Amino acid sequence: HNTEFSSIMMQGFDFAIDRGGTFTDIYCTLPNKEPIVRKLLSVDPRNYKDAPREGIRRILCEYAAHFFPEDAELYSKLTSDPGDTPVPTKHIQSITMGTTVATNALLERQGARCALLISKGFRNLLEINNQSRANIFDLEIARLKSIYEEVIEIDERVILGKYVKDDSVYKACPEAAETTTNERFLVIKSIDADVVKAELLRLKERGITSIAVTCMHSYSFNDHELEIGKLAEEVGGFEEVSLSHTVSPMTKIVPRGHTALASAYLTPIIQTYITSFLSGFTKFEETTRLSFMKSDGGLASVGSFGGHQAILSGPAGGVVGYGKTAYNGREPVIGFDMGGTSTDVSRYDGSLELLYNSVIADTYIQAPQLDISTVAAGGGSRLFLSNGLFIVGPESASSDPGPVSYRKNGYLTVTDANLVLGRIVPQYFPHIFGPNENEGLDHDGAYKKFEELRDSTPETKNLSVADLAQGFVRVANEAMCRPIRNLTTMKGYDLSRHTLAVFGGAGPQHACAIALNLGMKKVLVHKYGGILSAYGLSMADAVAEEQEAAAGVYATYNASTDAFMLNEEMSSNHEDKFAQLEGRSKDSLVGQGYNKEDVVAEQFVNLRFAGTDTQMMTAYSQDAIQQFLANYKREFGFLLKRDILVDDYRVRGVVPGNEADIDKEDATETKDVDYVDATAECTHKLYISSRGEYDDVPVYKLDNLTHENQIQGPAIIIQNISTILVEEGCVANITKRGNIVMKVVSSNNAVAIKDEEVGTQKCDPIKLSIFAHRFMGIAECMGRALARASISVNIKERLDFSCAIFDANGGLVANAPHIPVHLGAMQSAVEFQLHYWYSEGNGGINEGEVLVSNHPQLAGGSHLPDITVITPVFLDGKVIFYIASRGHHADIGGIAPGSMPPHSTKLEQEGAAIVAFKLVENGEFQEEGITEILNSPGKIPGSAPCRNLPDVLSDLKAQVAANQSGIRNLLGLIEECGLQEVSAYMGFIQDNAELCVRSTLKAFAKAHASSTLSAVEGMDDGSILKLTISVDVNTGDATFDFSGTSEQVLMNHNAPPAVTYSATIYSLRCLMDHLPEGSDIGRAVIPCLNQGCLAPITFVLPKGSLLNPSPEAAVCGGNVLTSQRVVDLIFKAFQVCAASNGCMNNFTFGDETFGYYETIGGGAGAGPTWKGQSGVHTHCTNTRITDPEILERRYPVILREFSLRQGSGGAGKHKGGEGIIRTIEPLRPLTMSLLTERRVLRPYGMAGGGDAKCGKNLVYTDDRWINIGGRCSTELKAGDLLKIETPGGGGYGCAGSSDNEGAPVNESSSSNPFVGYVKGGSLAQYEGNQGSA
C-alpha cells in the first residue's frame, strides 16, 4: 500500500485513534470541522477484526454520504456488507494512531524471532546488563526471558588510541579513517566477512527473521556494523536488520545494544499490524496521511515508525492532550491519568519533558521518550488486609475477572470501594456485565465482599463497610500522591504552583482528594478527559529526530574569573554538526509528505560537568551555557567549578500540529459571573466521611451544564465516559468550552488526617497504612534532596546513601530501602550518640546542633567511608524526633585511595574515625574541626589525609541539608496531624513490623517442626561463622546466638555488630516474601523497615569475635565480604534457598594519577520454586557496573571479556545461577587489587542440590596463567591479563527431576505496596539507580 502522499490537502475526515488494552477511543474531525467522539472495545472478534478500522467504518457509514452525496452508493455498500467491503480512503484526510501493540509484544515476549550479533567477549553482556537486581528483597530475582534466541560473537575490535603508548603492541594497528566523535580509534581486529556471512546463512536457515548488530564503540566508529549490515543484505531474508549506531547513536553499549534489539524484535510486529490494518482499506490515496505516535510525543509515518519508538505510543497522546489543553503559559501542570491497572504521572511546563534512557520490561531503551512515571495503583488494584494494614495493589484484577462488581467472581478493588461509597452511579455506568453482558454494576455483591473482608480480621471488625471502603480509597490516594511529590521534589519544583490535569476513566473520582493531599489548589477535567489520548493525537506534532555522539569540551571553567567560557575551537564543529543533522531531519519529514518550509528545527547539546555522568539535554543557543548552569542549579542546588563537556548533538525537526480548540485562559480560569442554579438529574447516596454517614447529593450531567453554573461539593458530575466527584468543600466551575475547573479548598474534616481523640492512643488501621506511606515518603524525599545537593559521584550518581526517621528514643521508624547493608544499621549510631551526648559532662544535644560519626565498633557504624549525620528535631525546645542520613564518601584518608585497602590490619589504616562530633553548633558548620578530623590519618606513618577534602565537606553539608528537608516535611506532617498522633503512629508502625517478624519466625519454626535452627559456614581463611536460632513458637521471640564464631582476624574482614544487624534485618525482610509452603499467616507486609523488625530478636555476639571485634580491628572487608556470608548463614539455618556467590568481588586498579573501584556480581542461589539468576549482585550489595565503553573511554584498559561463567552454578532440580568472567588488559603498567571470598569454599546447595563452583582470580603474564588467590595486590604491565571468575550460586533439589522453569510465583512474593510503586519514567530511573547503589 502506498502511504506516501502529496502536500496538497483536500477537506475530509481526520481520525485520531488511541487503541488501548480495553477500549479504543476515536476523536474524529468531520469535513465541516465538527468533532465527534466514539469508543468501542479493542477486542470483539464476534463483531469485527480490527477496532480502529471498525471505528473508522462506522463513522464513514454515518456521515460520509451526507458530506459527499456523489458517493452515497459507495458508503451504502459499506454499511450493508461491512465484513467484506474494504473501507474507502477517498475522503479520509488523515489517520493518526497511538497503539499498545509494541508494548504488549515486549511485555508478553511475542516479538519477531531475533538474533544478536555482538563483539567477541560480550555474548552475555545484554543479559548481565549492569548486574543489578530490580527488587533487593526478591530472592528469585525474576527477569523476563531474553528477547533474542541466539547470540553470535563477531571477532572484531577497536580501541581508543589515546591510551596506546609508543611501545605498545597495538601501535602498528591501522587507525580508523573517520569517526563520528573525532576520537582516534585503532582497529586491532577486522571482520572476517566469510565467517560472518556463514553465520548469517545459518541464522536464516534456523528461521531467524530479524537481527540486531552491536559492536564496541560503534557510536563513533561504525564501519564494522555497516559491513555486517551489508552482508545481511546480501544474504537476504531478514525482515529487520537493526544496527545499534543508527537506532541509538549514543555512548554505552548496553543500552544501545538493547535499543537495537528492541527495534529488531518489535519493528516487524509493528509492520505486521500496520499491514493488517491497511488490508481492510482500499488503496490509500496520495492525499491520505497515516501517522503513528512515537514515545517522544511526536508523529511518524509508517516507514519511519520503529519498534523501539513505540513503547509509550499509547500514553504519549494523553501527555500531548493535557499539555495543549491545560497549560496556560504560567502554571505548570501535573498530568494524572488513572486507568484500570495503573496510573500515569507526568509534568508539562510549556514543553514535553523527555528521557533518553529507561528500562521497560527488562529492556533498556536509549531513545527519546516522554517522562511518564507509572504507579501500580488504579481502579482495578486489588485490596487486602494484612496484620492490621490496609494494602492497595500492586496486584490488579485486570478486566477478567475484574472487580467483584463486574459479576465475574472477581476480586475486591478500588472500583468496588468507589461503588460502595456512592462515588459511582450505576445507572450511568455501561450495562455490560453479567453472563449476558447486559447488567449493571453489582453494588450488593461488592458490599457483601467488604463485609466478609471486614469480619476477617480483629482490627477491622468494629468498622462499618463504608469506613472500610473509605480507608482503602484514602490509602490508594496516598499511594498515588507519593510519586507526584517525588516527581516534583526530585527536580526542585514547587508542587503547590501546579495545576492537576486529570483524565482517564477513574481519575476524576479521586482528583479533589489527591489535590488536597498534595496542597494543590486547582484541578482541571477536560471535556474530552475520558479520551484525552485520542484528542492529543489529533494535535500532535510530526517529529523527526537526528542525533550523533560527540566528545569534547564545550566550555572551560576559568578559576581566576569564576566564569565559564565557550570553547571557540569547537564552535565551527557545532555548526557543521547541526547543519548535517538538521538537513537529515528535514529530509525525513519532507519524505513523509510535509513541506520543508513548515519544518522547525530545534537544536540541542547534551552537556555535563567533567568527572560526572549527569547529562542535561540543553537547547543550543548563545545562552546554552547559562541555561545548562541554571537548570543544573535548580535541580541540584549548586554548581561545579569544572569544564563542561558535550556528549551528543541532537536536532528535533518539528512540523507543529493543531492547537487545541480552546481559549488557553479559559482552560484553567473562570471569570466572575452571576451564577445560576443548575438542575440536577437526580440525587444519589454518597458517603460523607466527615460525618460518617451517607447523604443524598445532586447528580448533574456535564452536557446540561453551562459556564453560568457553579457546582458546590459534595456533588457528582457525569461525563459521557467518566464520573467526576466534587468533594465536600470544593467548587466546580464549567468553562465556556465545557471543561471543568475545580477549586480545591482545604477542609478540617474532609480528607486530611486530623487528631480526633487525643490521648486514646488506639491504632486505626486506616491511619496506620496512610502514615506508613507518609513516613516512607519523607525518607524518600530526603534521599532525593541528598542526591540533589551532593557533589561526589558516589553519592550524587551512584546514590550510595540511606536516609531514615527515628523516634525520640533513637528507635528507627522508617528507613527507605536504599542500601541493603545500611538497613537498620543507623539505629545503633543514633542510640550511641544519644547515650554519649547525654552522659555526664558532654553537654547534651541542643537546638541548632547536628551530630556526625562513623566509628564501626564504638559508634554503630558499618565501615569508615560510611559517615552518618544526625539532626535532632526540636519542637517547643524539646527533642521530639531524629533525622539521619548515611553516605559512602569516596575517600577519608588511610593507606589506600578510596579508604578500602585490601591488606589493612588496623582500623587506623582505613581512614579517619569519628566517634562523636558536633558537625553543626549554634547553626554554624564546624568546618575547621571536621577538617582536622578528616586530615588526621596523615599523622600515621604510611597513611594519607583525606584525598578529596572539598568533595567530602560538600557532601557532609549536603547530608545536613537533606536532614533539614526531612525535618521540614516531618514538621509539616505534625502541623497537619498533631504531634501526639504522629508520635503514636511511629510506635504503631514499629509494633506492626514486630508483629510481622514474630509471625514469620513462628511460621518457619512450625514448618521445620523445631524451635531451634542452626548453621555453620566457613570463610576462606579458615574462620568459622556459627549461628543457633532459638524461636519461642508461642510468642515469636528469637535468639540469634553467634557463639562459636571464630576470633577476630589480623585482616580486614572483621564485621562490626551493625553489619550483622543489617544482614539480619535484610534476611528477615526476605523471609516474609518467601514463607514456607503451607504457611497459614497470609501475606506479611512491613510498610517501612524499622526497629520493630529487630524487637523480637536477642543477639549474642561474642566480644572479640569476627562479628564483634575490638575497636582497633580493621573492618573494611567486613562490610563487603562478611556481610554476604552472614546472610548465607541465616538462610542456611532457615533452609530458605541455596547459597549465592557470597562475595561482592571487590576490584580496584590504578596508578599515581587515578583510581577505579568496582564490585562484580555472580550467581544467585536457587530455591524451592526458582532457578538461581545468573550474573547478578545478591543480598547486601546491588551496585551497577560501569558500561564497557565508558570504562575504556575513561581508563587505560581493554575489557576483553564480560560474560557468564558457564557451568559454575550448582546442579539440581533448580540450577544455581552462573558466575561472571571479567577479563581486563592494562594498556600501561597498573596496580590491580582484589578483595574477594569464596575462592576456597564452594557456595552450598540445598535440599539435595549441588554446590556451586568457587571463584578464581588469575593473571596471565609471561605466557602463563597464575592463580593469585582471593586477596591480592599486584603490578601488571601492558599486555598482561587479569581474569576474575566469580562464584556461581548453589542448586536446589535433587538433580534429575524437571527444572520446572515455569513454576508459579507465590502471591507472597509480590512487591511490597509501600515500596517500589514506580514502574516507569524518571522516578523509575532514580529508583533503579538508588536500588543498585
Side-chain angles (χ1 to χ4, degrees):
H1 296 276
N2 177 18
T3 56
E4 305 303 331
F5 46 86
S6 72
S7 58
I8 302 172
M9 305 297 291
M10 65 169 287
Q11 295 299 310
F13 292 83
D14 290 298
F15 294 96
I17 306 171
D18 176 38
R19 186 189 187 280
T22 305
F23 291 104
T24 291
D25 300 329
I26 302 174
Y27 176 85
C28 175
T29 304
L30 301 176
N32 66 350
K33 300 305 180 184
E34 178 186 344
I36 60 169
V37 171
R38 294 290 184 271
K39 182 184 285 279
L40 63 162
L41 291 171
S42 292
V43 179
D44 191 357
R46 288 179 294 183
N47 293 304
Y48 44 82
K49 295 179 181 179
D50 182 82
R53 190 170 63 230
E54 174 65 12
I56 292 172
R57 187 194 69 79
R58 291 182 183 182
I59 291 174
L60 290 176
C61 288
E62 188 174 350
Y63 292 98
H66 171 74
F67 290 104
F68 304 101
E70 68 274 15
D71 290 315
E73 186 176 341
L74 174 66
Y75 294 108
S76 175
K77 184 178 181 183
L78 185 64
T79 304
S80 61
D81 188 16
D84 298 322
T85 303
V87 177
T89 60
K90 183 176 180 180
H91 300 300
I92 297 176
Q93 184 166 276
S94 69
I95 301 173
T96 305
M97 288 181 62
T99 176
T100 57
V101 169
T103 312
N104 294 339
L106 187 61
L107 290 170
E108 298 165 7
R109 293 307 197 246
Q110 297 293 321
R113 295 192 62 188
C114 185
L116 169 67
L117 281 70
I118 195 167
S119 301
K120 185 178 179 180
F122 299 98
R123 66 176 299 110
N124 306 117
L125 178 64
L126 302 190
E127 183 179 348
I128 298 170
N129 286 328
N130 59 23
Q131 74 181 8
S132 68
R133 61 197 192 275
N135 180 352
I136 61 175
F137 303 118
D138 178 16
L139 299 178
E140 183 178 357
I141 314 179
R143 288 177 180 167
L144 296 172
K145 71 176 184 178
S146 298
I147 61 177
Y148 53 89
E149 292 185 28
E150 187 171 342
V151 181
I152 304 298
E153 290 187 273
I154 305 297
D155 193 5
E156 64 80 37
R157 200 61 157 87
V158 299
I159 62 172
L160 276 92
K162 63 181 179 180
Y163 295 120
V164 175
K165 301 297 184 182
D166 289 341
D167 58 352
S168 170
V169 294
Y170 301 119
K171 189 65 178 178
C173 292
E175 187 171 331
E178 185 176 343
T179 64
T180 303
T181 60
N182 297 323
E183 293 172 288
R184 190 167 69 91
F185 283 91
L186 301 179
V187 182
I188 64 174
K189 181 65 177 176
S190 298
I191 285 176
D192 186 327
D194 292 337
V195 172
V196 174
K197 196 168 186 177
E199 290 286 8
L200 290 169
L201 284 166
R202 187 178 62 79
L203 291 175
K204 180 180 176 181
E205 291 169 1
R206 268 203 63 200
I208 297 295
T209 60
S210 193
I211 62 171
V213 183
T214 304
C215 295
M216 278 286 285
H217 300 295
S218 65
Y219 62 89
S220 182
F221 176 77
N222 53 40
D223 290 12
H224 287 174
E225 285 193 2
L226 290 170
E227 188 174 347
I228 296 169
K230 186 178 292 186
L231 291 170
E233 189 177 334
E234 291 175 8
V235 169
F238 296 113
E239 296 179 34
E240 181 69 20
V241 178
S242 292
L243 308 181
S244 74
H245 78 275
T246 61
V247 172
S248 177
M250 298 178 75
T251 318
K252 296 185 182 179
I253 187 173
V254 172
R256 191 176 70 250
H258 269 288
T259 307
L261 263 175
S263 176
Y265 188 69
L266 298 174
T267 299
I269 302 302
I270 290 285
Q271 295 301 322
T272 298
Y273 171 73
I274 292 172
T275 300
S276 173
F277 172 72
L278 294 175
S279 67
F281 291 88
T282 60
K283 180 180 179 181
F284 263 59
E285 303 289 335
E286 290 187 354
T287 52
T288 303
R289 174 181 287 127
L290 175 60
S291 304
F292 285 85
M293 174 61 81
K294 298 185 296 181
S295 298
D296 65 357
L299 300 177
S301 68
V302 173
S304 305
F305 190 48
H308 66 292
Q309 301 169 317
I311 309 296
L312 298 180
S313 175
V319 177
V320 174
Y322 84 75
K324 290 208 172 188
T325 59
Y327 181 66
N328 63 6
R330 299 184 304 279
E331 298 170 345
V333 185
I334 296 293
F336 182 79
D337 179 7
M338 184 177 178
T341 59
S342 62
T343 298
D344 289 335
V345 176
S346 55
R347 181 180 181 276
Y348 186 87
D349 190 9
S351 62
L352 298 173
E353 297 191 356
L354 299 176
L355 289 176
Y356 298 88
N357 287 284
S358 68
V359 182
I360 300 172
D362 289 347
T363 301
Y364 286 73
I365 303 295
Q366 191 179 48
Q369 55 205 282
L370 293 174
D371 185 358
I372 301 173
S373 296
T374 302
V375 189
S381 293
R382 291 177 58 187
L383 310 179
F384 305 91
L385 290 172
S386 173
N387 295 313
L389 281 171
F390 280 55
I391 309 296
V392 178
E395 299 91 340
S396 172
S398 68
S399 58
D400 189 12
V404 170
S405 54
Y406 280 17
R407 302 180 185 270
K408 293 182 182 178
N409 297 317
Y411 304 102
L412 272 180
T413 67
V414 173
T415 295
D416 294 313
N418 280 324
L419 178 64
V420 165
L421 292 169
R423 294 162 170 254
I424 297 174
V425 185
Q427 70 194 71
Y428 291 108
F429 209 87
H431 284 51
I432 55 174
F433 307 106
N436 298 320
E437 298 184 354
N438 60 354
E439 297 180 67
L441 291 169
D442 185 3
H443 175 279
D444 293 343
Y447 193 93
K448 182 178 179 182
K449 282 292 183 183
F450 272 113
E451 285 184 320
E452 293 174 3
L453 181 64
R454 177 196 61 188
D455 297 339
S456 67
T457 65
E459 294 89 353
T460 56
K461 280 188 175 179
N462 294 327
L463 293 177
S464 68
V465 166
D467 285 334
L468 184 71
Q470 179 71 24
F472 279 115
V473 169
R474 288 172 64 183
V475 172
N477 289 343
E478 186 56 43
M480 291 182 285
C481 285
R482 268 174 65 189
I484 298 175
R485 290 191 188 101
N486 291 339
L487 183 72
T488 49
T489 301
M490 184 172 69
K491 297 184 178 181
Y493 299 122
D494 179 1
L495 182 57
S496 65
R497 291 186 56 246
H498 292 66
T499 295
L500 186 67
V502 181
F503 53 108
Q509 295 157 38
H510 298 256
C512 289
I514 294 287
L516 182 58
N517 284 359
L518 294 171
M520 302 173 76
K521 299 176 177 60
K522 190 184 297 181
V523 175
L524 174 68
V525 183
H526 193 269
K527 64 180 178 182
Y528 294 134
I531 60 142
L532 198 62
S533 289
Y535 186 48
L537 286 166
S538 73
M539 300 180 289
D541 303 334
V543 172
E545 293 256 4
E546 292 291 338
Q547 187 164 323
E548 277 192 4
V553 177
Y554 188 83
T556 57
Y557 175 71
N558 188 319
S560 61
T561 61
D562 191 27
F564 295 89
M565 302 298 294
L566 181 67
N567 181 6
E568 297 293 344
E569 293 180 6
M570 285 197 70
S571 293
S572 60
N573 189 56
H574 302 329
E575 301 302 328
D576 292 343
K577 287 290 185 184
F578 281 126
Q580 295 171 21
L581 297 175
E582 184 174 323
R584 298 206 306 250
S585 68
K586 286 185 175 180
D587 289 345
S588 174
L589 288 166
V590 169
Q592 297 176 44
Y594 297 96
N595 294 321
K596 192 170 187 176
E597 56 269 22
D598 293 335
V599 180
V600 178
E602 300 171 353
Q603 300 175 343
F604 300 88
V605 280
N606 202 13
L607 304 178
R608 63 181 171 89
F609 280 115
T612 75
D613 285 329
T614 306
Q615 299 170 322
M616 285 192 163
M617 197 65 77
T618 306
Y620 178 67
S621 69
Q622 290 183 336
D623 298 326
I625 297 173
Q626 294 308 314
Q627 183 185 341
F628 168 76
L629 296 174
N631 290 342
Y632 196 96
K633 189 167 185 178
R634 172 188 50 76
E635 187 157 339
F636 300 115
F638 65 95
L639 295 175
L640 298 177
K641 297 182 178 182
R642 303 179 185 179
D643 291 348
I644 299 172
L645 308 183
V646 57
D647 281 347
D648 300 278
Y649 299 106
R650 170 176 160 250
V651 168
R652 184 176 173 90
V654 176
V655 177
N658 298 324
E659 289 301 313
D661 181 21
I662 192 165
D663 183 329
K664 284 295 181 68
E665 189 168 306
D666 183 54
T668 54
E669 297 184 7
T670 53
K671 304 299 182 182
D672 292 331
V673 296
D674 294 326
Y675 295 110
V676 298
D677 292 336
T679 302
E681 304 295 320
C682 61
T683 59
H684 181 67
K685 293 287 186 184
L686 176 71
Y687 185 70
I688 311 297
S689 59
S690 62
R691 288 177 264 163
E693 63 184 15
Y694 286 91
D695 198 0
D696 289 321
V697 301
V699 177
Y700 304 93
K701 292 187 72 173
L702 181 60
D703 290 346
N704 297 332
L705 298 176
T706 73
H707 72 283
E708 295 179 337
N709 299 136
Q710 186 178 72
I711 308 301
Q712 300 285 340
I716 294 172
I717 301 174
I718 303 295
Q719 261 186 323
N720 290 334
I721 27 63
S722 64
T723 301
I724 301 154
L725 176 63
V726 185
E727 295 268 10
E728 184 179 21
C730 298
V731 178
N733 292 327
I734 316 302
T735 71
K736 290 181 180 179
R737 299 289 185 179
N739 306 313
I740 300 173
V741 177
M742 291 189 283
K743 294 180 180 178
V744 179
V745 181
S746 180
S747 168
N748 289 334
N749 53 17
V751 181
I753 310 165
K754 292 289 174 184
D755 270 331
E756 292 167 0
E757 299 178 26
V758 176
T760 60
Q761 302 298 309
K762 289 184 178 180
C763 180
D764 178 343
I766 300 170
K767 290 184 179 180
L768 181 68
S769 305
I770 293 173
F771 271 110
H773 279 290
R774 296 298 290 271
F775 291 145
M776 283 293 286
I778 291 171
E780 290 169 351
C781 285
M782 284 175 61
R784 286 169 172 80
L786 179 51
R788 286 183 60 230
S790 60
I791 193 170
S792 70
V793 172
N794 253 21
I795 295 180
K796 181 171 214 57
E797 293 170 9
R798 291 185 63 242
L799 304 176
D800 194 348
F801 61 77
S802 287
C803 299
I805 303 170
F806 301 82
D807 63 25
N809 299 315
L812 177 65
V813 174
N815 192 153
H818 292 151
I819 309 302
V821 81
H822 290 175
L823 298 176
M826 276 193 283
Q827 177 173 316
S828 300
V830 176
E831 289 176 339
F832 173 82
Q833 294 301 311
L834 268 65
H835 174 76
Y836 177 88
W837 291 108
Y838 284 115
S839 296
E840 187 174 351
N842 286 340
I845 299 173
N846 306 299
E847 201 160 357
E849 294 180 342
V850 178
L851 318 175
V852 65
S853 71
N854 72 342
H855 199 294
Q857 292 93 309
L858 296 180
S862 47
H863 62 171
L864 292 180
D866 284 346
I867 299 180
T868 304
V869 173
I870 303 162
T871 307
V873 183
F874 279 84
L875 188 66
D876 298 329
K878 179 182 176 183
V879 177
I880 53 172
F881 307 119
Y882 292 89
I883 295 287
S885 56
R886 175 172 287 181
H888 183 113
H889 294 257
D891 188 281
I892 54 166
I895 63 174
S899 306
M900 292 282 289
H903 296 304
S904 56
T905 57
K906 298 178 181 178
L907 185 70
E908 66 182 21
Q909 298 171 328
E910 298 176 354
I914 309 168
V915 176
F917 180 72
K918 290 185 175 178
L919 186 63
V920 176
E921 279 192 279
N922 298 318
E924 296 292 327
F925 187 82
Q926 302 299 300
E927 187 161 331
E928 184 177 341
I930 192 64
T931 297
E932 183 179 347
I933 293 172
L934 292 170
N935 284 335
S936 62
K939 301 174 183 177
I940 300 169
S943 285
C946 177
R947 294 171 178 83
N948 196 351
L949 183 63
D951 279 13
V952 174
L953 292 175
S954 293
D955 284 349
L956 287 172
K957 292 175 183 177
Q959 287 182 254
V960 173
N963 287 5
Q964 198 59 40
S965 76
I967 291 173
R968 285 194 300 271
N969 289 331
L970 194 53
L971 290 176
L973 184 62
I974 291 169
E975 185 178 353
E976 178 184 338
C977 307
L979 174 61
Q980 187 158 353
E981 187 163 61
V982 172
S983 300
Y985 278 90
M986 283 186 172
F988 294 147
I989 280 174
Q990 292 168 340
D991 295 343
N992 178 265
E994 180 180 343
L995 174 64
C996 289
V997 171
R998 291 185 187 279
S999 299
T1000 299
L1001 291 170
K1002 288 190 285 185
F1004 274 94
K1006 180 179 178 181
H1008 290 288
S1010 173
S1011 60
T1012 303
L1013 310 170
S1014 61
V1016 178
E1017 274 285 281
M1019 303 284 285
D1020 282 355
D1021 71 335
S1023 300
I1024 295 296
L1025 297 174
K1026 187 174 182 180
L1027 171 63
T1028 301
I1029 301 173
S1030 303
V1031 181
D1032 186 320
V1033 294
N1034 295 314
T1035 66
D1037 286 308
T1039 300
F1040 280 50
D1041 186 350
F1042 291 89
S1043 297
T1045 294
S1046 294
E1047 302 81 5
Q1048 70 181 60
V1049 296
L1050 196 63
M1051 300 170 75
N1052 60 23
H1053 59 278
N1054 302 294
V1059 169
T1060 299
Y1061 301 152
S1062 294
T1064 302
I1065 201 171
Y1066 163 80
S1067 301
L1068 290 171
R1069 174 61 184 81
C1070 291
L1071 293 181
M1072 293 179 195
D1073 282 352
H1074 299 84
L1075 295 169
E1077 188 176 354
S1079 171
D1080 58 1
I1081 69 170
R1083 183 179 182 184
V1085 174
I1086 291 183
C1088 40
L1089 293 158
N1090 57 62
Q1091 79 164 18
C1093 298
L1094 294 183
I1097 312 298
T1098 300
F1099 286 94
V1100 178
L1101 295 168
K1103 281 192 174 182
S1105 71
L1106 191 66
L1107 301 181
N1108 192 3
S1110 65
E1112 302 82 16
V1115 297
C1116 70
N1119 199 53
V1120 296
L1121 299 180
T1122 310
S1123 61
Q1124 298 285 67
R1125 304 305 307 281
V1126 172
V1127 174
D1128 280 344
L1129 184 71
I1130 295 171
F1131 285 159
K1132 190 175 188 179
F1134 282 105
Q1135 296 287 293
V1136 177
C1137 61
S1140 293
N1141 74 95
C1143 178
M1144 296 187 192
N1145 300 294
N1146 304 271
F1147 171 46
T1148 61
F1149 65 80
D1151 57 19
E1152 67 280 358
T1153 64
F1154 80 97
Y1156 172 78
Y1157 170 68
E1158 69 183 21
T1159 58
I1160 306 169
T1169 61
W1170 70 86
K1171 290 170 58 176
Q1173 191 56 257
S1174 298
V1176 69
H1177 262 317
T1178 57
H1179 303 327
C1180 291
T1181 187
N1182 200 28
T1183 55
R1184 294 187 173 194
I1185 203 159
T1186 306
D1187 187 273
E1189 289 179 346
I1190 298 297
L1191 182 74
E1192 293 190 0
R1193 260 185 131 183
R1194 294 188 180 175
Y1195 304 105
V1197 297
I1198 303 174
L1199 182 59
R1200 282 296 186 178
E1201 183 177 7
F1202 188 40
S1203 63
L1204 295 180
R1205 186 186 174 203
Q1206 301 298 332
S1208 58
K1213 178 182 179 182
H1214 303 300
K1215 190 177 181 297
E1218 309 284 19
I1220 285 174
I1221 297 175
R1222 192 163 173 86
T1223 304
I1224 302 273
E1225 176 184 346
L1227 289 170
R1228 70 179 191 230
L1230 294 175
T1231 299
M1232 296 194 170
S1233 304
L1234 288 159
L1235 183 58
T1236 61
E1237 260 289 318
R1238 290 285 195 196
R1239 266 49 183 179
V1240 177
L1241 302 176
R1242 301 169 68 172
Y1244 61 78
M1246 186 166 285
D1251 294 345
K1253 286 184 178 179
C1254 55
K1256 191 184 294 185
N1257 303 326
L1258 302 168
V1259 164
Y1260 184 81
T1261 184
D1262 300 328
D1263 298 325
R1264 65 183 183 274
W1265 287 101
I1266 301 170
N1267 190 325
I1268 59 174
R1271 298 164 193 238
C1272 182
S1273 184
T1274 184
E1275 300 287 331
L1276 270 68
K1277 60 182 182 295
D1280 289 347
L1281 298 175
L1282 174 67
K1283 180 189 284 189
I1284 304 164
E1285 298 183 358
T1286 70
Y1292 191 98
C1294 296
S1297 55
S1298 69
D1299 195 36
N1300 195 16
E1301 292 186 37
V1305 179
N1306 294 331
E1307 186 174 294
S1308 62
S1309 69
S1310 299
S1311 302
N1312 185 344
F1314 293 90
V1315 184
Y1317 258 69
V1318 180
K1319 303 300 180 187
S1322 57
L1323 291 184
Q1325 190 177 58
Y1326 176 90
E1327 297 288 349
N1329 291 341
Q1330 175 70 78
S1332 64

